[in-house]
Amino acid sequence: MKLPPRIRFSLLPALSAALLCISTARAEAPQTPPSGGSRGGTVSLERYRGKKSVVRGGRLPQTDSLQRDTLLCDTLRGAADSTQLRPDSLSGALPVQDTLLLRLTGGDSLLRDTLPADSLLGTTPAAAPADTARVERRRHWFMSDSMSLSRVCWMSVPVPGYGQIYNKQYWKLPILYGTFGTSLALYLRENSKFKPLKRRFEEITSQDMSRTEELDAVQSAMIRHNTRRQLYLIATVGSYLYFIGDAAVNYATNDVSSVKKATTLATICPAAGQIYNKSYWKVPIVLGGFASMVYVIDWNNRGYQRFKKAYRLRYDFDQQLKAYNEWEANHKDDPDVPAPVKPTQSTDEFKGRYTAEFLKNLKNNYRRNRDLSIIATAGIYILQIVDAHVDAHLKDFDVSDDLSMRIEPAVDYAVIGGTGVRPVVGFNFMLNF
């Protein structure tokens, strides 16, 4: 039946109002959860999951990237096309649980493509935690929570006490600066007294090595101040290295392996890695070898300096004597050539008992032994680092005391030629190690 135009225009507002009431009632109607859904009348999230999406511990496992993207897009498009993800007819916004689900599964791009911006709860996606952490790491590079153990130790080298500040052990700073500062001040004080005595000793011995009262007094005072200076230097370096190692031991981050800590400590100070690994029987070997090599280096260096000076004095005496002999042989009667001074005796400590060539050989031998000792010391230093690293790895290696061998009979069955099954008798050989 065909309605008149006036009646047709009068029905349009009524139909619009009826459709609006139906959509509003449908949006506000409580949803009944399907079988096996959540309890308490809440909306089940099973309808938004793909076929291979399984929730364990509140996290969605990462599947193959191509399958994950395909399943996610198909699921979200199907949900968006259905009435389950339609925006509310009045406010134009999605329900809260639907929007959070889409953001959790990474469907923000699909929301932006299919729904208006006002329907996304009026907010923009938050910045990724990784980007935020990267910005914070760049901003606080000097004191970052994610700083590695190696970097903390390297920063403690130019800035003493940096490791204690990073580990928030501020009470150790007065001990560090008190010990280090006192030892350094005493070392500088003794060094200021040692230097003038050393220069005076060089002035005396550069001309003559004869023992005099002045030389004995200067040498005694120089040895006394040099001994104190070396002790204060050892205390200074020891306190400096100790607090760098303390920063490595008390490193705040717990995910650092014991292997890295042992290697770092062995690099900072010899035998520190062995102490950390509780291999205390190796400590005397490492320290004894290292101290012995340091003593050998000092011994050969002192011998090198001694014979170097003796060779220089004997060489000067030989040159003066050679010049006098040439003058006496060629220009003795020539009044125009002045006569050089005739040396009477060599001024080295051996008083001419050894030739210059012999003293030169001794000097070279001491120098070669000193250089070889330095190389051997470096080898011991590297070897104890390797030992600490390997020992830390082997700490978790289970070595059983069950070393046994066992032979027992064994029976098996074999199909022969398709005619039947025959038993096979033999022996099993088992070795436990």
Side-chain angles (χ1 to χ4, degrees), residues 180-351:
F180 179 75
T182 303
S183 302
L184 182 60
L186 292 175
Y187 166 76
L188 295 177
R189 177 174 174 269
E190 292 297 328
N191 188 63
S192 63
K193 295 181 179 180
F194 169 77
K195 287 297 183 180
L197 295 173
K198 178 69 174 178
R199 286 193 295 268
R200 181 56 183 166
F201 178 80
E202 293 294 338
E203 291 176 0
I204 296 175
T205 56
S206 62
Q207 302 297 329
D208 191 359
M209 289 290 296
S210 301
R211 306 306 302 181
T212 60
E213 294 183 359
E214 181 184 8
L215 180 61
D216 292 339
V218 170
Q219 188 174 14
S220 300
M222 182 185 67
I223 293 174
R224 182 172 61 253
H225 288 290
N226 186 42
T227 303
R228 295 176 183 174
R229 184 186 69 140
Q230 291 179 351
L231 292 176
Y232 293 142
L233 179 62
I234 292 174
T236 303
V237 176
S239 61
Y240 180 75
L241 295 179
Y242 173 79
F243 282 97
I244 298 179
D246 176 78
V249 172
N250 299 288
Y251 182 60
T253 306
N254 296 324
D255 59 351
V256 178
S257 63
S258 59
V259 177
K260 187 171 184 179
K261 280 192 175 183
T263 308
T264 303
L265 289 173
T267 306
I268 293 173
C269 182
Q274 284 71 24
I275 296 175
Y276 181 80
N277 292 331
K278 297 182 180 179
S279 300
Y280 302 111
W281 64 273
K282 297 180 180 179
V283 175
I285 300 176
V286 175
L287 291 181
F290 200 79
S292 299
M293 296 310 301
V294 171
Y295 177 78
V296 171
I297 292 173
D298 181 68
W299 171 271
N300 287 283
N301 184 64
R302 285 188 284 113
Y304 167 71
Q305 298 295 336
R306 175 188 178 188
F307 287 101
K308 178 183 177 182
K309 184 179 296 183
Y311 167 72
R312 181 174 56 81
L313 294 175
R314 179 55 194 260
Y315 180 79
D316 292 342
F317 170 78
D318 291 343
Q319 294 298 320
Q320 293 176 4
L321 183 60
K322 180 180 179 181
Y324 180 80
N325 292 335
E326 290 180 356
W327 174 84
E328 188 176 16
N330 300 323
H331 306 284
K332 182 177 181 180
D333 299 332
D334 190 356
D336 296 332
V337 179
V341 178
K342 181 180 180 181
T344 58
Q345 189 181 12
S346 177
T347 57
D348 63 275
E349 62 174 304
F350 303 105
K351 303 302 181 184

